[in-house]
């Protein structure tokens, strides 16, 4: 009979000297412990909320590491505050408490001695006795100490439920002193109310807290999460039967067995007006109430804007003569479609101008602005992202805002300052890159418009739809309620670029070319069957091809269809960071398996109104402040600080997804394309990638994969009803 060997559990007591590694995300750490007769011991384990200088009692086992020798693997830890001056200095200087680094730790302990922690806890105003510590730093230290004690209590509770320290910190930031009460009442609130926390995390916590697998709360949470998950692929509605099936799949329960519970949960949510039911073409669809009212609100405002008579009357004959003739030697002669586009903007309350690269959209805007300025009309220019707004400024030499900054977020009511009660004071609003606008941003924008304002949407409808939910520009065009001008002619200057030529070839379903007489060689296709060889191609591109074209590596971006795999953004980010930013002693912090270093480019992946930084914004890491436990990032001229517990809001951006590149232009774009991307290979994806490049576009990959993408012009239909709301009397119930 086989007997499993028993593992002897040991206990050691010592003081934490220094950390060799510490993950702010999951609490895993490796540190040196002073043990017994000052013998250093290397300890490893998932031990959240510990700091240098603390005395710890550890339970675990001794193990032999093949490279580092004997180590103690701890699985349980109890802590006590430091009992020596040296320990206190290490503890306070560890960065645990914001506002105290090594220098101030030394000063504080030298001044207050062993009473320093009691002073911080009970009489923090006394900290001002130490030279260099003012009222602001005292307040910061006192708040950080109080938060740290509260977080520690939550961590003790959550550690038993296998919840990470980073999540515990976020929960405390969200709910404060009510955190434990809220968790015990309904942990599923985390999935609804906290960004970055999915249903699975909340569900795991709920079940460890004793919630029944078939409780109505669980079904309700599953239904709501399934609906909101649909927005990740642009959908605002879910067909009822599909919702039932997907919810049970999420909950890992049998649909036929639990049909009554699903029905009961749906009725509860409906009665509480959390969801809406819409019937169309004999099918039933479910959506969140806020999604329905957002899309319905957009349709109502569009109709009212169209119905409301403009207070501006233009002599169209005079305007026609103006736009069709050059006003001076520097003026550009407009094509007929451009002329019609300008007249449409003047004649109609809402207009759409769409066209590919090189078709003269910017020239049209500039001529339109001349008309508005001649008539002394108030106008604003805006775009969905900072980069798109910057391009708009560069093209027109007029101030352009992001839509978020145009509307000004107001923290007192957590909404935009400009809204239906406080509208923008303008006559014309011109929005560029309108294909990027999701339904929620469209709603906020339209609410802020007076009824007599003209609005012009400029964009390329053949690009990918918005990253956010809805299909605003496409639905608006397909409704045929709004006058739409399509610019098709490629101007001579643009014809000299293979990037522009190939963008139009791809859009027509034709394979791109790497050579054409009279064009710049700014489009390259590197044929490669093996995605594992991408790094060697990138090395050659960065060290040889780009320098010859006068393009710097920092002005280059890799655009991939997907995140995972050898040709995905995650792997390529690691590879390019190693090539371009790999100093011998990097200043870095590791989060979720990714090393973030000073000078790395990073991208924000959610709208954060507190920080005034938005989904898709790209900046550079300026510094990592271990004392304040912050990552400092510059976005153009703005400095944004991220706490170490907020780093899930950013990703490295040497490589980003093609979807996230919308609205931006880069001097050089590199696009890996392989058959492994099969599910994402669509014509508008490739078209969008090519149109991001200004000076150089390089494809690496398989001819077959590119051919599949160009042939596939079906796209993915989004479940929206804006078109129907605009053209019929369809209502939810």
């Amino acid at each position: 009979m086989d007997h499993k060997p028993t593992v002897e559990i040991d206990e050691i007591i010592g003081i934490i000297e220094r950390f060799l590694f510490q993950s702010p995300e999951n609490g895993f750490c490796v540190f040196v412990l002073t043990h017994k007769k000052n013998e250093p011991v290397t300890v490893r384990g998932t031990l959240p909320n510990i700091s240098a200088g603390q005395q710890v009692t550890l339970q675990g086992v001794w193990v032999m590491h093949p490279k580092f020798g004997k180590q103690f693997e701890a699985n349980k830890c109890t802590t006590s505050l430091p009992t020596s001056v040296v320990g206190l200095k290490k503890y306070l200087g560890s960065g645990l408490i914001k506002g105290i680094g090594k220098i101030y730790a030394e000063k504080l302990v030298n001044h207050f001695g062993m009473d320093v922690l009691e002073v911080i806890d009970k009489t923090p105003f006394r900290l001002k006795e130490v030279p260099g510590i003012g009222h602001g730093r005292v307040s910061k230290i006192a708040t950080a100490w109080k938060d740290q004690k509260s977080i520690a209590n939550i961590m003790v509770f959550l550690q038993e439920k296998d919840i990470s320290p980073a999540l515990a910190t976020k929960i405390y930031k969200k709910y404060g002193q009510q955190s434990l009460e809220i968790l015990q009442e309904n942990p599923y609130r985390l999935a609804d109310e906290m960004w970055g926390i999915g249903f699975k995390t909340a569900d795991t916590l709920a079940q460890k807290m004793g919630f029944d697998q078939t409780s109505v709360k669980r079904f309700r949470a599953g239904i709501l999460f399934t609906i909101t998950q649909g927005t990740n692929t642009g959908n605002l509605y879910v067909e009822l039967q599909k919702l039932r099936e997907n919810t049970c799949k999420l909950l890992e329960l049998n649909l036929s067995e639990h049909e009554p519970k699903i029905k009961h949960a749906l009725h509860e949510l409906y009665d509480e007006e959390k969801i809406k039911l819409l019937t169309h073409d004999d099918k039933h669809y479910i959506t969140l109430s806020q999604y329905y009212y957002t899309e319905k609100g957009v349709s109502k405002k569009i109709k009212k804007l169209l119905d409301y008579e403009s207070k501006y009357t233009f002599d169209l004959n005079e305007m026609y003569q103006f736009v069709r003739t050059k006003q001076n030697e520097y003026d550009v002669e407009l094509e007929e479609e451009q002329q019609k586009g300008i007249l449409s903007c003047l004649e109609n309350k809402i207009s759409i101008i769409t066209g590919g690269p090189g078709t003269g959209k910017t020239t049209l805007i500039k001529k339109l602005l001349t008309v508005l300025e001649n008539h002394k009309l108030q106008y604003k220019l805006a775009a969905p992202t900072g980069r798109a707004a910057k391009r708009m400024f560069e093209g027109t030499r007029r101030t352009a805002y992001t839509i978020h900054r145009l509307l000004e977020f107001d923290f007192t009511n957590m909404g935009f300052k400009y809204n239906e009660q406080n509208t923008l004071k303008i006559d014309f609003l011109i929005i560029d890159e309108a294909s990027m606008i999701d339904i929620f941003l469209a709603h906020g924008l339209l609410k802020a418009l007076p009824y007599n304002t003209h609005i012009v949407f400029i964009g390329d409808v053949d690009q990918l739809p918005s990253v956010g939910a809805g299909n605003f520009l496409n639905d608006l065009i397909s409704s045929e309620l709004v006058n739409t001008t399509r610019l098709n002619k490629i101007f001579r200057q643009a014809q000299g670029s293979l990037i522009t030529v190939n963008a139009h070839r791809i859009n027509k379903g034709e394979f791109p070319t790497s050579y054409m007489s009279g064009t710049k060689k700014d489009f390259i296709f590197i044929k490669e069957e093996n995605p594992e060889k991408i790094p060697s191609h990138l090395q050659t591109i960065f060290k040889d091809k780009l320098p010859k074209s006068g393009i710097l590596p920092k002005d280059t971006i890799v655009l991939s269809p997907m995140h995972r795999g050898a040709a995905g953004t995650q792997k390529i980010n690691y590879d390019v960071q190693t090539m371009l930013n790999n100093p011998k002693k990097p200043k870095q912090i590791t989060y979720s398996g990714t090393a973030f270093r000073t000078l790395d480019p990073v991208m924000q992946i959610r709208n954060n109104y507190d920080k005034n930084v938005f989904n898709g914004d790209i900046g550079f890491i300026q510094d990592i402040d271990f004392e304040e436990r912050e990552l400092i990032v510059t976005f153009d001229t703005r400095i944004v600080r991220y706490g170490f517990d907020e780093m899930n809001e950013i990703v490295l951006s040497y490589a980003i997804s093609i979807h996230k590149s919308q609205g931006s232009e880069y001097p050089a774009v590199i696009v890996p394309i392989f058959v492994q991307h099969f599910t994402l290979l669509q014509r508008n994806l490739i078209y969008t990638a090519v149109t991001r490049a200004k000076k150089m576009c390089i494809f690496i990959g398989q001819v077959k994969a590119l051919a599949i993408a160009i042939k596939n012009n079906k796209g993915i239909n989004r479940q929206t009803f804006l078109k129907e709301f605009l053209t019929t009397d369809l209502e939810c119930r």
Side-chain angles (χ1 to χ4, degrees):
M1 187 175 181
D2 292 335
H3 292 280
K4 290 183 180 178
T6 56
V7 178
E8 189 175 342
I9 303 296
D10 275 312
E11 180 176 281
I12 60 173
I13 301 171
I15 294 172
I16 300 173
E17 285 295 320
R18 67 184 186 279
F19 283 89
L20 304 175
F21 175 80
Q22 190 173 26
S23 167
E25 184 187 17
N26 59 20
F28 178 78
C29 54
V30 181
F31 58 88
V32 176
L33 186 81
T34 302
H35 172 53
K36 290 183 179 177
K37 299 176 184 178
N38 291 326
E39 292 177 13
V41 174
T42 302
V43 179
R44 58 186 292 152
T46 301
L47 306 168
N49 210 39
I50 58 174
S51 299
Q54 282 184 309
Q55 180 172 302
V56 292
T57 301
L58 303 168
Q59 289 183 350
V61 294
W62 292 98
V63 295
M64 186 61 68
H65 191 282
K67 185 176 179 182
F68 301 111
K70 192 176 182 182
Q71 295 183 344
F72 191 78
E73 196 165 278
N75 53 40
K76 190 174 182 183
C77 172
T78 55
T79 63
S80 55
L81 292 172
T83 55
S84 69
V85 167
V86 173
L88 276 170
K89 287 179 179 178
K90 284 182 183 292
Y91 179 68
L92 290 175
S94 67
L96 176 75
I97 302 166
K98 276 192 176 185
I100 304 178
K102 288 182 180 179
I103 294 172
Y104 280 109
E106 185 86 17
K107 288 182 178 181
L108 285 166
V109 177
N110 287 345
H111 185 83
F112 293 110
M114 295 303 296
D115 296 329
V116 65
L117 296 181
E118 189 174 353
V119 170
I120 293 171
D121 189 39
K122 295 180 178 174
T123 54
F125 60 87
R126 288 192 57 201
L127 299 178
K128 286 192 282 187
E129 295 173 17
V130 176
I133 295 184
H135 177 75
R137 191 174 288 270
V138 168
S139 176
K140 184 186 285 188
I141 291 170
T143 300
W145 176 257
K146 181 182 175 184
D147 286 349
Q148 191 58 37
K149 289 204 305 183
S150 298
I151 291 168
N153 291 335
I154 294 171
M155 281 190 178
V156 169
F157 173 79
L158 290 179
Q159 194 178 357
E160 298 171 1
K161 320 294 181 197
D162 296 328
I163 299 300
S164 73
L167 177 53
T169 304
K170 281 184 195 170
I171 291 169
Y172 177 74
K173 278 191 171 184
K174 174 75 175 175
Y175 300 118
Q177 299 295 329
Q178 293 181 295
S179 298
L180 290 181
E181 182 186 336
I182 286 168
L183 286 173
Q184 288 164 335
E185 192 273 324
N186 184 10
Y188 290 108
R189 282 180 61 176
L190 299 184
D192 290 339
E193 299 172 0
M194 291 185 64
W195 181 86
I197 295 181
F199 174 82
K200 289 291 184 186
T201 301
D203 191 40
T204 300
L205 178 58
Q207 292 190 49
K208 288 187 176 180
M209 293 174 65
F211 279 75
D212 192 326
Q213 262 206 328
T214 60
S215 69
V216 173
K217 275 185 182 176
R218 187 167 187 254
F219 277 99
R220 286 167 56 111
I223 289 166
L224 294 176
F225 185 74
T226 301
I227 297 170
T228 55
Q229 276 294 94
T231 62
N232 292 341
T233 49
N235 298 301
L236 291 168
Y237 301 79
V238 186
E239 199 270 316
L240 179 57
Q241 185 56 28
K242 190 175 179 183
L243 175 62
R244 290 187 179 116
E245 292 167 0
N246 289 351
T247 300
C248 279
K249 186 177 178 182
L250 174 73
L251 302 180
E252 298 179 350
L253 295 171
N254 184 278
L255 176 58
S256 58
E257 187 181 340
H258 295 94
E259 187 85 38
K261 280 276 179 76
I262 287 251
K263 192 173 181 181
H264 180 62
L266 283 165
H267 276 294
E268 272 194 9
L269 292 168
Y270 181 81
D271 290 342
E272 293 169 18
E273 297 193 353
K274 286 192 159 76
I275 61 172
K276 290 284 186 182
L277 171 67
L278 184 146
T279 303
H280 180 67
D281 286 344
D282 297 323
K283 285 187 179 179
H284 300 302
Y285 297 89
I286 301 290
T287 187
L288 298 188
S289 294
Q290 70 180 92
Y291 296 175
Y292 167 71
Y293 287 121
T294 296
E295 205 173 38
K296 195 70 177 173
V298 167
S299 72
K300 285 180 178 177
K301 187 61 182 272
I302 292 286
K303 287 178 182 177
K304 283 186 178 178
L305 281 167
L306 291 171
D307 289 342
Y308 203 90
E309 190 174 332
S310 174
K311 70 176 183 180
Y312 316 110
T313 54
F314 298 92
D315 185 327
L316 293 181
N317 287 326
E318 179 188 327
M319 289 300 100
Y320 179 63
Q321 290 302 318
F322 180 81
V323 299
R324 71 190 297 265
T325 56
K326 291 176 65 172
Q327 302 303 303
N328 53 56
E329 61 180 305
Y330 304 107
D331 204 3
V332 178
E333 190 171 336
L334 300 183
E335 289 294 319
E336 187 177 350
E337 285 303 314
Q338 290 175 304
Q339 298 169 22
K340 287 180 180 176
I342 292 174
L343 295 176
S344 170
C345 296
L346 300 174
E347 193 175 5
N348 297 287
K349 294 288 297 306
I350 307 174
S351 305
I352 296 171
I353 310 292
T354 183
T359 56
K361 297 190 294 295
T362 301
T363 303
L364 185 155
I365 296 173
K366 287 164 71 175
K367 192 77 169 185
L368 174 61
L369 294 181
T370 303
V371 174
L372 301 181
E373 287 163 356
N374 288 347
H375 284 74
K376 295 183 170 49
L377 295 176
Q378 295 294 314
Y379 65 82
K380 296 278 188 189
L381 306 180
T385 67
R387 284 177 172 263
K390 187 178 179 182
R391 285 175 53 207
M392 204 175 187
F393 164 74
E394 289 167 352
T396 63
R397 308 315 298 176
R398 273 86 160 184
T399 301
Y401 304 85
T402 64
I403 295 173
H404 289 94
R405 293 188 179 102
L406 174 73
L407 301 179
E408 292 184 31
F409 195 75
D410 183 358
F411 290 100
T412 58
N413 60 17
M414 294 307 289
F416 289 122
K417 174 184 172 183
Y418 290 101
N419 51 39
E420 56 267 61
Q421 280 83 42
N422 180 35
T423 57
L424 293 161
K425 307 300 183 280
I426 52 173
D427 304 312
F428 270 74
L429 179 60
I430 301 168
I431 304 292
D432 200 9
E433 294 289 356
S435 63
M436 296 179 64
I437 300 175
D438 64 37
I439 196 66
F440 304 108
L441 189 56
H443 191 218
L445 181 68
L446 291 167
K447 282 197 296 185
L449 287 185
Y451 287 117
N452 54 22
T453 297
H454 287 235
I455 184 165
V456 180
F457 294 108
I458 312 240
D460 187 346
V461 78
D462 295 316
Q463 285 185 31
L464 290 166
S466 60
V467 173
N471 206 7
F472 173 68
L473 189 64
N474 275 285
D475 285 346
L476 210 54
I477 292 172
S478 61
S479 74
E480 299 184 356
L481 278 186
V482 175
N483 194 283
T484 301
T485 302
R486 293 180 183 270
L487 304 179
N488 295 306
K489 181 174 179 179
I490 309 174
F491 284 83
R492 186 183 303 169
Q493 185 180 358
Q495 287 174 351
S497 164
L498 274 179
I499 293 172
T500 303
V501 169
N502 282 330
H504 288 273
R505 285 176 69 94
I506 289 165
N507 206 23
K508 291 188 286 187
E510 299 171 7
F511 204 84
T513 179
S514 295
Y515 174 78
M516 184 176 285
S517 178
T519 60
K520 294 177 284 186
K521 292 183 179 179
D522 54 6
F523 183 96
I524 299 169
F525 192 131
I526 300 171
K527 295 176 184 177
E528 177 56 70
E529 292 296 318
N530 184 1
E532 300 290 342
K533 292 185 178 178
I534 289 175
S536 63
H537 289 297
L538 291 175
Q539 191 86 32
T540 303
I541 290 167
F542 284 121
K543 297 210 166 179
D544 182 29
K545 281 190 170 62
L546 294 179
K548 284 180 180 176
S549 301
I551 300 171
L552 298 172
K554 72 179 182 67
D555 294 326
T556 305
I557 197 159
V558 181
L559 303 181
S560 176
M562 63 198 303
H563 295 296
R564 300 186 185 279
T569 60
Q570 294 170 357
K571 172 67 165 56
I572 293 173
N573 267 314
Y574 172 80
D575 292 333
V576 179
Q577 182 192 52
T578 303
M579 291 174 206
L580 302 182
N581 189 17
N582 195 22
K584 287 184 179 177
K585 291 186 178 179
K587 194 173 186 182
Q588 70 176 43
I589 182 169
T590 299
Y591 186 90
S592 195
T594 299
F596 291 87
R597 297 172 182 157
T598 50
L599 304 181
D600 278 339
V602 291
M603 181 174 65
Q604 175 78 11
I605 57 172
R606 67 170 292 227
N607 288 339
N608 188 322
Y609 295 99
D610 289 332
K611 298 183 187 298
N612 200 27
V613 61
F614 303 101
N615 191 354
D617 285 355
I618 289 180
F620 290 86
I621 298 175
Q622 178 181 302
D623 194 14
I624 302 170
D625 189 333
F626 291 98
E627 179 178 320
E628 295 292 325
R629 299 178 68 78
E630 289 179 336
L631 200 72
I632 300 159
V633 180
T634 54
F635 291 91
D636 292 326
T637 56
R638 292 182 305 111
I639 293 176
V640 178
R641 295 174 179 269
Y642 293 86
F644 287 172
D645 60 311
E646 298 175 312
M647 287 175 57
N648 63 334
E649 292 193 16
I650 56 172
V651 293
L652 291 178
S653 62
Y654 294 101
I656 65 174
S657 71
I658 296 172
H659 282 82
K660 288 284 190 181
S661 72
Q662 292 177 80
S664 299
E665 268 190 351
Y666 310 91
V669 163
I670 303 168
V671 186
I673 181 162
F674 292 87
V675 175
Q676 66 177 227
H677 299 145
F678 186 83
T679 55
L680 294 167
L681 294 180
Q682 297 167 24
R683 187 185 299 173
N684 59 358
L685 186 87
I686 304 304
Y687 175 75
T688 300
V690 173
T691 54
R692 300 308 91 203
K694 282 166 56 175
K695 295 181 180 178
M696 179 69 71
C697 181
I698 302 173
F699 272 67
I700 307 171
Q702 299 163 315
V703 172
K704 181 181 178 182
L706 186 55
I708 290 170
I710 293 170
K711 187 178 178 182
N712 179 13
N713 197 31
K714 293 178 183 176
I716 297 172
N717 291 327
R718 295 184 165 195
Q719 194 58 67
T720 66
F721 285 103
L722 179 59
K723 176 187 173 183
E724 286 74 19
F725 291 153
L726 287 168
T727 55
T728 70
D729 57 359
L730 181 66
E731 299 275 350
C732 263
R733 60 182 177 86

